[in-house]
Amino acid sequence: MKIIRFQAPAGPEYGILEGETVYRAKGNYATGFRRGEPVGELSQLTLLCPCQVTKIVAVGRNYAAHAAEHGDEVPSQPLIFLKPPSAVIGPGEPIVCPPQSAQVEHEAELAVVIGQRARRVAAADAWRYVLGYTCANDVTARDLQRSDGQWSRAKGFDTFAPLGPWIVTELDPTDLNVVCRVNGQVTQQASTSDMVFKIPDLIEYISAAMTLEPGDVILTGTPEGVSPIRAGDQVEVELAGIGTLRNPVVSG
Ligand code: MG
């Protein structure tokens, strides 16, 4: 199933995408979503970020080759940080490069969307807390990440968390091709099988510290090839079996 959120006249609504047709989604995270009446064609609708987050928990250095490109070791435990909900944008919305940074970079990542409240979940039980998967771009002001020493500002600017285009449920996420393109040129390409810490272990580690709410997102780390983006660029994050998240880049 593909779950979307779209802009309806009365405000954002959840939908289910089948082929090019969007149906109203009945139900919720707790009961599950099922198909309601048709609303229109995908091309006629404005898509929004497909989930409503209370927090985004991101994992740093979770691909060995990416840690190596910055001269970093792979950590012995997951290295987690938060991105604020105010950073979230949806498909097609512009990533805004702020005046404080001269080096904004893309990070293509698989995003795990939580479906049920998760607190102190064991890895063996973790899959049942997952609603599905979407594409993410963990946009980073690399110069500020270095100079600040901690990462909240560099990872937390408005528009630095593009998510979408939809949530795919019933997908095996353990060996998906993840690709990033800037203006059509491939900059990152890897398999999610290269993750150092796997999804169940991440859910166990994170939920041991903080309760994950339905709609929250875990960004599972980026492979090697992170590169600068500038105003005028088009960035695409593509996950096999999910789809492509496209965002233009502007300055502001
Ligand atoms: Mg990242």
Side-chain angles (χ1 to χ4, degrees):
M1 183 186 285
K2 288 180 178 171
I3 300 167
I4 66 164
R5 275 175 75 238
F6 63 97
Q7 191 64 51
E13 287 189 26
Y14 283 94
I16 291 171
L17 177 65
E18 290 185 7
E20 294 300 307
T21 304
V22 174
Y23 298 84
R24 192 155 278 127
K26 297 191 164 175
N28 54 47
Y29 284 91
T31 61
F33 290 104
R34 56 192 196 284
R35 205 178 81 176
E37 69 280 12
V39 218
E41 294 298 295
L42 180 63
S43 59
Q44 302 167 329
L45 298 172
T46 300
L47 287 187
L48 305 171
C49 170
C51 49
Q52 292 165 281
V53 305
T54 72
K55 59 187 163 301
I56 299 169
V57 186
V59 183
R61 301 175 193 159
N62 203 28
Y63 287 77
H66 168 63
E69 74 183 342
H70 287 157
D72 294 316
E73 300 288 324
V74 170
S76 59
Q77 296 187 95
L79 173 61
I80 65 170
F81 58 94
L82 293 168
K83 287 172 83 83
S86 48
V88 170
I89 57 172
E93 288 191 73
I95 297 164
V96 181
C97 294
Q100 297 94 319
S101 175
Q103 190 186 3
V104 175
E105 295 191 343
H106 63 71
E107 294 190 1
E109 307 198 10
L110 172 69
V112 178
V113 183
I114 297 297
Q116 295 181 52
R117 176 173 287 187
R119 179 170 181 267
R120 296 185 177 172
V121 169
D125 298 326
W127 292 118
R128 66 181 138 93
Y129 293 84
V130 174
L131 174 68
Y133 307 91
T134 192
C135 307
N137 191 342
D138 176 19
V139 180
T140 304
R142 194 71 64 200
D143 47 355
L144 304 183
Q145 185 185 24
R146 287 196 199 96
S147 61
D148 284 0
Q150 57 84 41
W151 302 0
S152 295
R153 187 168 68 130
K155 298 278 192 179
F157 280 96
D158 291 350
T159 76
F160 273 24
L163 291 166
W166 37 69
I167 300 164
V168 176
T169 62
E170 293 116 34
L171 176 73
D172 178 353
T174 56
D175 184 14
L176 301 178
N177 200 36
V178 49
V179 177
C180 190
R181 295 184 206 87
V182 178
N183 304 325
Q185 300 290 312
V186 173
T187 52
Q188 295 183 280
Q189 186 156 25
S191 167
T192 57
S193 64
D194 294 337
M195 282 182 201
V196 176
F197 298 101
K198 310 299 185 190
I199 291 167
D201 300 317
L202 295 174
I203 292 173
E204 178 176 294
Y205 185 82
I206 295 165
S207 73
M210 62 189 80
T211 302
L212 293 166
E213 300 288 350
D216 282 354
V217 166
I218 299 172
L219 305 190
T220 53
T222 201
E224 71 275 25
V226 297
S227 308
I229 51 176
R230 298 175 186 87
D233 287 343
Q234 286 280 343
V235 191
E236 295 179 346
V237 175
E238 182 175 359
L239 267 292
I242 300 177
T244 304
L245 170 66
R246 295 185 180 86
N247 297 92
V249 183
V250 302
S251 58

